[in-house]
Amino acid sequence: MARQHSHPFVPYRPVRYPEPEMIARGREFYEHMDRRRSVRFFSDEPVPRECVELAVRAANTAPSGAHQQPWKFVIIGDPETKRRIRQAAEAEERQNYEGGRLTPEWREALAPLETGPDKEYLETVPWLVVCFAEKYGVRPDGTRVKHYYVNESVGIACGFLIAALHAMGLSTLTHTPNPMAFLSEICGRPGNERPYILFPVGYAAPDAEVPDLVRKPFSEVIG
Ligand code: IYR
């Protein structure tokens, strides 16, 4: 008997593959993702805005609490805004690294990444994408809409964004300058939006290097 719905439903028939093809596709995708690395050395080579927009479209397909899609992505390409963001991020990071705001434990955890307060890449890259999380929605009459699972939802969307950029041969970094309230001001965002992650987007520099990190073995991530 047909299910009864009180809201519109449509058929959904995801593509199915024979088992060997499932495994081949799964392996290919895993190996593709395993080749992704966070990058801190970027080329200034231009990237079509369309690539960034496609990545945001991919992010916008993420599942979200009650399908509220509690995210906003601000795409920045003009040099003056990039410069302001770099200046503000570096001012905060100098207090972290040189003003003692990072705890010794935190410093120790970061040591292998050799990060520091200089964030040159924020100006080098052709694009910055700033993801904002909508803590709550706002109706046209100004009243608030409660949002559910905002962190989980926006985190998944950002994962999709990262995967989409990687699929296009682009690199990024999940940069979280701390604190990052300055992003709300520079991007002119309303009070219901909280800066979530700042993504520099571009090609990795031809001489880019990344820390020689090892991923946890499979056996260790299976609980
Ligand atoms: N936000 C700082 C520090 C930093 C923190 C973590 I956790 C990292 O994985 C990397 C950096 C910075 O951007 O340098």
Side-chain angles (χ1 to χ4, degrees), residues 40 93 96-97 106 110 113 115-116 119 121 175-178:
R40 290 184 175 82
E93 297 295 7
N96 290 331
Y97 287 93
W106 197 341
L110 287 182
L113 307 181
T115 56
K119 304 298 179 190
Y121 51 75
H175 183 38
T176 50
N178 183 17

Side-chain angles (χ1 to χ4, degrees), residues 33-214:
M33 293 304 283
D34 196 30
R35 287 191 292 271
R36 185 206 60 81
R37 292 297 308 266
S38 290
V39 163
R40 290 184 175 82
F41 303 99
F42 286 90
S43 158
D44 62 1
E45 193 179 337
V47 166
R49 184 182 169 99
E50 191 175 2
C51 293
V52 183
E53 290 184 354
L54 283 167
V56 171
R57 283 178 189 274
N60 191 43
T61 69
S64 62
H67 187 55
Q68 284 164 324
Q69 299 174 267
W71 45 67
K72 277 281 189 315
F73 294 89
V74 176
I75 303 174
I76 296 157
D78 76 286
E80 175 54 21
T81 309
K82 286 191 280 185
R83 195 189 57 78
R84 286 178 65 202
I85 288 177
R86 175 184 178 183
Q87 266 190 345
E90 288 184 341
E92 293 294 357
E93 297 295 7
R94 266 192 287 279
Q95 293 193 56
N96 290 331
Y97 287 93
E98 292 156 11
R101 229 169 34 183
L102 289 183
T103 60
E105 191 181 17
W106 197 341
R107 277 176 180 284
E108 202 181 311
L110 287 182
L113 307 181
E114 293 190 1
T115 56
D118 298 329
K119 304 298 179 190
E120 192 185 337
Y121 51 75
L122 293 176
E123 278 195 276
T124 311
V125 286
W127 301 105
L128 297 176
V129 177
V130 191
C131 175
F132 290 85
E134 291 179 348
K135 296 180 281 187
Y136 51 88
V138 183
R139 293 193 192 86
D141 69 358
T143 57
R144 295 183 179 192
V145 182
K146 185 167 168 46
H147 279 172
Y148 303 93
Y149 298 99
V150 172
N151 252 325
E152 291 83 348
S153 305
V154 181
I156 296 167
C158 286
F160 281 26
L161 181 90
I162 294 165
L165 292 169
H166 178 56
M168 288 183 270
L170 293 168
S171 289
T172 189
L173 171 71
T174 47
H175 183 38
T176 50
N178 183 17
M180 52 181 166
F182 66 87
L183 288 170
S184 300
E185 201 210 304
I186 295 176
C187 299
R189 303 313 302 171
N192 64 317
E193 294 181 15
R194 169 173 67 85
Y196 189 79
I197 293 176
L198 167 56
F199 295 97
V201 175
Y203 295 105
D207 62 350
E209 293 178 299
V210 295
D212 189 10
L213 305 180
V214 178

